Amino acid sequence: MPGQTFPHRAPVGTCTPPGGHVSMGAMAGAVRYCGSAAGRIAYRCTGAGPALLVDPGWVTHLKAMSSIAGFHEIVEALGRHFMVIRFDKPGCGLSDREAVDLSFDGQVAAALAVADAANADRFSVFGASQGGQVAVALAARHPARIRSLVLYGTCADGRELATAPVRASLLDLVSAHWGLGSRVLADIFLSDVTGADIDAFARLQRACASPQVARSLLELYYATDVGPLLDQVRARTAVLHREGDTAVPFALGRDLASRIEGATLTPLPGAGHLFYQGPWQPVLDAALAFLTAEDPREPRLTDREIQVSRLVADGLTTREIAARLGVAARTADTHVQNIRHKLKVRSRAQIAAWSTRQDAGPPD
């Protein structure tokens, strides 16, 4: 938001080099920074395996949210199967808070920049609430990058979250009295909690963002409609929604699922809007069941074809591959043609690029 000054500015950091499927190893949990069109973005990678970008919605704080019961357990469980990539939105948490782009396109650009910095050529996305809108935009605009989507508690059109007078009142309250506004929003987002729980979540929201940024991002959520993008989503998609969601009615999740080709809808118990509050285990179970299921649309090469693809990536000719494997040149050529057909590519360079992505090691 050019022209405004906020109290925090992230230090300059370095990004990891390009790569693919990684294991974070000793770097697990380290906060790093990368540049984006929206400003410098703080991100953190934990776990090992295929990349999973997590956008928990609206406002974020990498360190503060990591200490929340439920959120911590979910991220830890996901990290047993995936390299979990989390980041702070522009203007939030540990990311730049000064002269940042708070637009929707800025959020999408920031998410993509984080995926690039974390070596995620292809990745899945878990998008919750407003983060689900960002996930839809990523899938529609960058279909080759997105493996699968899990959309939790999400709607297509933010205007449907409340009437215009209610939206205006909440926005005015957030900017005029962030302390009271954060409590009102906590009361909307949470269910079956104590006053102490509401106080704690209100404090968390205030730590995530200034009142100016909180209002701007909430206003953005209300104004964003990703409906026109839904028929462009080609990634496998699961929509998870609590039947009693107090902030985003279940009907909006059902509508979202019906407009994405092949999407599945999983109704979940509970009324709280936050996926990590209340009965979070069903959310985790449903997300893991979908994300770890085999995608029939993913190319499946035989062990021999994988071996041949690696030799292609090493720059060997068909005759050299045949000699290395002790087979006829015609047999080696058949393997190469089968690989091209399965990967739906035309050139050896594309085979080499695919193989390199599959075999890329951890970042330095």
Side-chain angles (χ1 to χ4, degrees):
M1 187 178 291
Q4 289 188 326
T5 300
F6 301 111
H8 172 80
R9 185 169 181 85
V12 176
T14 57
C15 297
T16 54
H21 179 108
V22 301
S23 169
M24 292 309 297
M27 289 305 300
V31 175
R32 301 174 131 184
Y33 291 89
C34 69
S36 81
R40 285 177 297 185
I41 304 299
Y43 72 98
R44 168 181 277 171
C45 300
T46 55
L52 173 63
L53 186 73
V54 174
D55 185 338
W58 189 36
V59 292
T60 60
H61 197 300
L62 282 174
K63 289 188 175 179
M65 294 183 73
S66 294
S67 64
I68 300 174
F71 187 90
H72 172 78
E73 283 81 359
I74 288 174
V75 171
E76 187 175 66
L78 291 173
R80 299 188 191 109
H81 304 268
F82 303 96
M83 180 185 74
V84 179
I85 309 167
R86 294 173 48 223
F87 64 101
D88 278 334
K89 291 175 177 292
C92 294
L94 304 179
S95 290
D96 275 358
R97 295 196 178 193
E98 179 181 319
V100 294
D101 181 1
L102 298 180
S103 69
F104 185 72
D105 285 346
Q107 291 198 27
V108 176
L112 200 63
V114 168
D116 289 341
N119 300 336
D121 291 333
R122 291 198 73 216
F123 53 98
S124 297
V125 186
F126 179 98
S129 193
Q130 190 268 347
Q133 293 184 322
V134 173
V136 166
L138 284 169
R141 298 175 185 177
H142 306 279
R145 300 287 302 272
I146 308 303
R147 180 173 279 112
S148 56
L149 295 181
V150 174
L151 307 177
Y152 168 86
T154 303
C155 68
D157 188 350
R159 292 170 299 183
E160 297 182 331
L161 292 171
T163 63
V166 170
R167 298 198 305 268
S169 295
L170 280 172
L171 292 172
D172 289 343
L173 181 59
V174 167
S175 56
H177 197 309
W178 189 202
L180 180 57
S182 62
R183 282 187 56 86
V184 170
L185 288 169
D187 195 45
I188 293 172
F189 293 155
L190 306 179
S191 68
D192 301 323
V193 292
T194 65
D197 293 326
I198 290 177
D199 287 342
F201 187 70
R203 288 194 299 271
L204 172 65
Q205 292 176 101
R206 296 196 297 272
C208 289
S210 68
Q212 300 98 321
V213 168
R215 180 203 166 101
S216 294
L217 294 181
L218 184 58
E219 187 172 26
L220 176 69
Y221 189 14
Y222 287 152
T224 300
D225 179 10
V226 295
L229 299 178
L230 297 179
D231 63 359
Q232 301 173 43
V233 174
R234 296 292 176 264
R236 292 174 61 243
T237 302
V239 176
L240 314 181
H241 215 105
R242 284 183 176 151
E243 294 176 293
D245 193 318
T246 53
V248 182
F250 178 78
L252 298 183
R254 183 173 54 204
D255 173 69
L256 181 76
S258 70
R259 297 164 65 186
I260 298 176
E261 184 179 357
T264 60
L265 172 64
T266 302
L268 297 172
H273 177 58
L274 306 177
F275 65 90
Y276 47 88
Q277 186 263 329
W280 55 263
Q281 189 67 50
V283 179
L284 174 62
D285 291 344
L288 277 177
F290 178 78
L291 291 168
T292 58
E294 190 172 89
D295 184 355
R297 297 175 297 181
E298 287 288 313
R300 297 187 64 188
L301 271 57
T302 65
D303 290 344
R304 177 64 94 180
E305 288 165 349
I306 291 173
Q307 186 179 18
V308 170
S309 74
R310 288 171 175 160
L311 295 176
V312 170
D314 288 340
L316 274 65
T317 66
T318 299
R319 288 188 177 278
E320 290 170 336
I321 291 173
R324 179 73 64 87
L325 300 180
V327 299
R330 180 178 297 178
T331 301
D333 184 62
T334 298
H335 285 314
V336 172
Q337 296 306 320
N338 287 341
I339 294 169
R340 283 177 177 163
H341 176 73
K342 289 183 178 182
L343 298 183
K344 298 179 181 177
V345 300
R346 296 181 178 181
S347 69
R348 295 171 69 93
Q350 289 172 302
I351 294 175
W354 179 88
S355 180
T356 300
R357 287 197 300 269
Q358 302 307 303
D359 292 339
D364 294 336

